[in-house]
Amino acid sequence: MIHPVIDAHAHLWLRQDATVEGKEIKTLTNGQSLFMGEIRQMLPPFFIDGRNTAEIFLSNMNYAQVSAAVVTQEFIDGLQNAYLLEVQEKYPERFLCCGMADVREPEGCCRHAEQLMEQGFRAIKIPANRLVMDKSRIWLTGDEIMRMLKLMEKNGAILSIDLADGSEQVPEMKEIIEECPALKIAIGHFGMVTRKDWQEQVKLARNKNVMIESGGITWLFNDEFYPFTGAVWAIREAIELAGIGKLMWGSDYPRTITAITYRMSYDFVVKSSLLTAGEKSLFLGRNAAAFYGFGDLPELPYLKNMSE
């Protein structure tokens, strides 16, 4: 077993209650949600009340021997700041939670981010991929968002960000990196690997304080399915583009475990012959421990399954 394993991209919520692109997302029962006009299996069906809690996640983490996790946010889940603050205060050794200011209405987002940092959030999330979908595009380099990013840089807060497919927002990110060279940035979804020009997002990690995390990589390679050999080849390509020291594993829990188990979301990397033991160790935990500043982490025992 490789230690530590750290999940750099996961989600928690008590209830989904959001509107995105004018369409509702609502928690139903049995793991289902109303999602933009249709019912989708958002969670495994045994989440009968739709509550995606820290305690359920910790149970999954302990079983899968995952020592810690970064809890990010997405507009489709609604703002979960109040709950995530409780989670971080209750389990500081296991979770680093991202606050989220609603940059879809830029006016005031800087002040909101400031309040979130004052409350104790050490990272802020921007689901930037959602900013290009509305009729009136919101630019990451707009005055108010740039003020927010510079304030985050000054306060040592980490930016967790998901970008639109390909290179669409890469020029904006290059400007942000130039204007805020000390801002620590984690780019999600492995640059939207499987989409055209995904490598352009990965190349951003050639900059000193920029990292790439793989949250959602099993979703993006879902058609291929386990053992996700194409995903491992993409990791190999990203190593060539940016170096193994700039890459981190993420699961996109819990949405991805409607198709696979939580352990399967990383053991395809452990079992692959395409990566060295050192590369696996850096990718699965050591890079994230250094980037996010995780301290003493629990070593979790392997429990034999009844089927073994």
Side-chain angles (χ1 to χ4, degrees):
M1 183 59 197
I2 293 172
H3 292 290
V5 178
I6 296 174
D7 189 342
H9 188 125
H11 298 273
L12 296 173
W13 61 79
L14 293 181
R15 286 192 63 83
Q16 291 178 309
D17 186 5
T19 300
V20 176
E21 300 167 48
K23 298 178 181 179
E24 283 189 315
I25 298 97
K26 295 281 186 184
T27 295
L28 302 177
T29 57
N30 302 320
Q32 299 173 0
S33 290
L34 174 64
F35 183 77
M36 296 185 171
E38 62 178 324
I39 295 176
R40 299 286 291 272
Q41 194 70 44
M42 187 69 63
L43 300 165
F46 50 79
F47 284 66
I48 57 174
D49 61 0
R51 288 166 55 91
N52 170 34
T53 66
E55 287 72 25
I56 294 174
F57 189 24
L58 277 171
S59 182
N60 272 286
M61 289 168 63
N62 292 342
Y63 172 72
Q65 298 175 278
V66 175
S67 296
V70 178
V71 181
T72 185
Q73 297 200 53
E74 229 280 17
F75 291 138
I76 64 172
D77 303 325
L79 270 66
Q80 299 292 329
N81 294 323
Y83 178 55
L84 295 189
L85 193 59
E86 291 178 13
V87 169
Q88 187 165 273
E89 291 174 348
K90 189 174 182 180
Y91 306 107
E93 74 286 357
R94 303 298 298 275
F95 294 120
L96 185 150
C97 296
C98 299
M100 186 163 68
D102 196 342
V103 296
R104 291 173 298 181
E105 297 183 9
E107 191 64 35
C109 71
C110 182
R111 177 56 186 149
H112 189 193
E114 183 177 26
Q115 292 170 339
L116 293 172
M117 288 183 283
E118 288 171 352
Q119 289 171 348
F121 284 108
R122 296 192 292 116
I124 302 292
K125 174 63 181 282
I126 299 180
N129 54 311
R130 303 287 178 188
L131 304 183
V132 302
M133 295 181 178
D134 294 327
K135 293 180 181 178
S136 56
R137 175 171 178 158
I138 295 170
W139 296 89
L140 293 169
T141 50
D143 291 345
E144 183 73 4
I145 295 178
M146 283 298 294
R147 276 195 292 272
M148 181 182 90
L149 297 174
K150 288 180 179 180
L151 181 64
M152 289 171 58
E153 179 187 33
K154 180 181 177 181
N155 284 277
I158 297 168
L159 171 63
S160 172
I161 190 165
D162 301 332
L163 300 177
D165 291 2
S167 60
E168 184 167 0
Q169 292 175 306
V170 167
E172 294 165 72
M173 290 303 300
K174 288 180 177 178
E175 184 174 339
I176 288 167
I177 292 165
E178 184 176 349
E179 290 288 321
C180 307
L183 178 64
K184 296 176 73 173
I185 301 170
I187 297 172
H189 296 159
F190 217 66
M192 288 305 292
V193 63
T194 71
R195 308 295 199 253
K196 184 177 182 293
D197 294 331
W198 66 274
Q199 297 91 340
E200 296 307 306
Q201 294 189 34
V202 174
K203 289 176 186 176
L204 292 170
R206 293 172 177 173
N207 293 280
K208 180 180 178 181
N209 290 311
V210 182
M211 301 287 284
I212 304 293
E213 46 93 340
S214 74
I217 198 168
T218 59
W219 150 59
L220 289 160
F221 282 92
N222 185 64
D223 289 346
E224 175 187 294
F225 206 65
Y226 192 88
F228 304 110
T229 304
V232 183
W233 278 113
I235 294 168
R236 271 255 64 92
E237 184 173 355
I239 292 171
E240 297 302 316
L241 290 170
I244 186 60
K246 306 310 293 285
L247 308 178
M248 304 181 292
W249 169 68
S251 70
D252 213 5
Y253 174 98
R255 284 180 267 271
T256 47
I257 65 165
T258 57
I260 58 175
T261 68
Y262 185 47
R263 183 185 290 273
M264 288 168 70
S265 66
Y266 78 83
D267 77 353
F268 74 92
V269 173
V270 174
K271 293 174 180 175
S272 175
S273 61
L274 297 175
L275 299 169
T276 68
E279 288 169 337
K280 293 173 185 178
S281 179
L282 288 167
F283 179 67
L284 291 176
R286 285 171 56 198
N287 288 339
F291 182 75
Y292 290 106
F294 284 105
D296 293 333
L297 294 168
E299 281 203 20
L300 302 162
Y302 177 76
L303 298 180
K304 198 172 183 179
N305 289 329
M306 285 299 294
S307 58
E308 293 181 77

